[in-house]
Amino acid sequence: MSLARLRLARTEGVGPALHRRLLARHGSAEAALEALGPRAHPHDGALREMETLSAMGARLIFQDDADYPPLLALIEDAPLVLAAQGSLSPLRQRGVAVVGARNASGIARRFAEDLADALAVRGIAVISGLARGIDAGAHAGALRSGTTIAAIAGGLDRPYPRENAALQARIVAEGGLVLSEAPLGTAPLARHFPRRNRIVAGLSLGVVVIEAALQSGTLITARLAAEAGRELFAVPGSPLDPRCRGSNDLIRRGARLTETAEDVLAFLPEAPAALPILRLAELPETPPEAMEEAPPETGASAQVLEMIGATPIAVDELGRRCQLSASQLSAILLELELAGRIETLPGNRVALA
C-alpha cells in the first residue's frame, strides 16, 4: 500500500488538490493508479526510492500516517509525503522556526545560536531550513541543549549548501530530524525553496525572523506563517544595515519584537490561531529571484507571468500557450502564488494578485 501511495504522490502533475480528487473518485491509491494508466509514476522507480531510503535509515511519512506532523497537515497544500531521516520525536514537541539572512552578520548568527539554545533547553524543537547563516546557527544552537528539525529543498541525498552537509549529518546523529518533500536525487533549484519555506512555517507554532532584507526569501516564510495563523516574531536590527530592513518592517507591521527566548515563550500558543495574525497583503512583496541562493532559474517563470493578467485564465490554456509540462507549470505557479504575484481561483484558473 505504501508503494502505491508513493507512486501516486510522485506522479507528474498530481499535486495535493488533484490527489484528493483522485482518492475521492477512485477510493484508493491502487485504483487511482490503475485509472492513470501509463501516466502513473513507475513501479520500479518508487520501489528503488523506498529501498534507498531504508538503506539510509530514512522512511516515508504520508498524510494519513499517525506520524505526519499535525500542524503541517493544517496548511492547504500540505505535502503528500515526506522523506524523514532521524528521530521523529521532535515532531511531538512544540516547534519554533528561527530563520533569517544567509549572509548574516556574526553577531546575528551568535544571537540565533543562543536563542535556539535557550528555546531548546525549554523543550522547544527549533525548526529551520539548513541554509547558511541564520539557519545553520539556529540548528547548531539547538543541538547544544535539545533538538532541531531541518526542512530541505532538495532530496535527502543532496545537502545544500555543501558546507552544511556535516551539519545535516550531525542533526540526524544527535536526535534531530531532516525532512524533504522532494524525491531522492532532486537538486535544490530556486523554485523548490518556497515549497521548503512553507514546510518550515507549517511545522511551527511561531516563526522568529533575524536579519531579513526587504527582498528576501525569509519574508516568504514570514508571510506563510502569518497566513497559517502562526505567531510572528522579529529581532530588531540597525536601521543602517540593509539586512535588517525587512525584519524591522515586520515589527512595524505587527510582529512581536524579540530580544530573548522569554519574548517568544510568552506568546507561543499551544495550537495555531483560528485566523491569520497578519494579513498576507500587509507583508512586503518578495520577487521570485530574491528567494534563495540556488542554481539560476530559466526564464520560464517570467514567460508564465507575462501571460497572466487581471482576467482569470485557465491553467490548461496557460500550459498550452507556454508549452510547459503539467509538473513544470504547477511548480512555477506555486512559486508565483507563494511570492504573492498570482492567486488561484475556482475552476482551476489563475490571475494576477
Side-chain angles (χ1 to χ4, degrees), residues 7-346:
R7 289 182 62 201
L8 186 59
R10 296 288 190 241
T11 296
E12 184 176 348
V14 176
L18 179 55
H19 185 270
R20 286 193 295 269
R21 292 197 297 272
L22 286 169
L23 289 181
R25 180 181 304 168
H26 300 288
S28 68
E30 291 85 349
L33 289 170
E34 187 174 347
L36 288 169
R39 292 175 294 172
H41 186 74
H43 174 280
D44 291 348
L47 184 60
R48 279 195 302 273
E49 181 177 359
M50 294 183 71
E51 290 174 344
T52 305
L53 285 169
S54 179
M56 295 171 58
R59 55 165 293 185
L60 295 168
I61 307 175
F62 296 91
Q63 271 192 1
D64 56 350
D65 287 346
D67 290 325
Y68 193 89
L71 287 182
L72 185 60
L74 295 177
I75 69 173
E76 185 176 356
D77 59 342
L80 299 174
V81 60
L82 293 166
Q85 188 176 27
S87 171
L88 299 182
S89 297
L91 294 176
R92 294 186 282 274
Q93 299 175 220
R94 290 198 299 169
V96 170
V98 177
V99 296
R102 299 184 306 276
N103 61 334
S105 64
I107 192 169
R109 167 145 180 166
R110 288 195 298 274
F111 182 87
E113 291 179 5
D114 292 343
L115 178 68
D117 182 15
L119 290 170
V121 79
R122 292 165 171 82
I124 300 295
V126 175
I127 302 159
S128 201
L130 205 64
R132 59 174 59 94
I134 297 299
D135 288 20
H139 292 304
L143 289 175
R144 294 180 194 165
S145 306
T147 193
T148 186
I149 300 172
I152 63 174
L156 287 179
D157 56 343
R158 297 292 295 270
Y160 183 85
R162 291 298 304 174
E163 67 200 59
N164 284 347
L167 178 58
Q168 179 173 327
R170 184 183 165 205
I171 290 170
V172 172
E174 296 185 17
L177 178 64
V178 180
L179 295 173
S180 173
E181 182 181 13
L184 291 173
T186 301
L189 302 178
R191 65 176 179 269
H192 299 148
F193 285 92
R195 300 183 64 83
R196 184 277 312 268
N197 292 353
R198 91 190 195 289
I199 295 174
V200 171
L203 288 169
S204 310
L205 284 168
V207 173
V208 182
V209 176
I210 305 172
E211 284 194 349
L214 284 172
Q215 295 182 341
S216 66
T218 301
L219 295 187
I220 291 181
T221 308
R223 183 160 54 244
L224 293 171
E227 186 180 40
R230 313 302 161 88
E231 286 283 348
L232 192 56
F233 306 85
V235 176
S238 170
L240 301 178
D241 190 339
R243 290 172 295 194
C244 299
R245 289 178 184 164
S247 41
N248 287 347
D249 191 55
L250 289 177
I251 296 172
R252 186 179 301 114
R253 295 170 184 272
R256 300 191 186 278
L257 188 151
T258 302
E259 296 176 317
T260 66
E262 284 69 27
D263 294 331
V264 176
L265 295 169
F267 296 99
L268 193 66
E270 293 293 333
L275 295 174
I277 297 163
L278 301 178
R279 292 192 302 275
L280 209 59
E282 292 180 337
L283 295 178
E285 289 286 333
T286 304
E289 63 270 17
M291 285 189 278
E292 289 284 348
E293 179 180 2
E297 284 273 28
T298 66
S301 293
Q303 177 193 8
V304 170
L305 190 60
E306 186 177 347
M307 294 187 180
I308 301 175
T311 302
I313 181 173
V315 172
D316 290 344
E317 175 64 20
L318 189 62
R320 284 192 291 271
R321 292 186 188 182
C322 297
Q323 296 184 332
L324 295 170
S325 70
S327 61
Q328 288 174 316
L329 182 59
S330 176
I332 290 171
L333 291 178
L334 176 64
E335 177 182 334
L336 293 173
E337 185 175 10
L338 292 180
R341 308 295 296 277
I342 67 170
E343 58 181 337
T344 300
L345 303 171

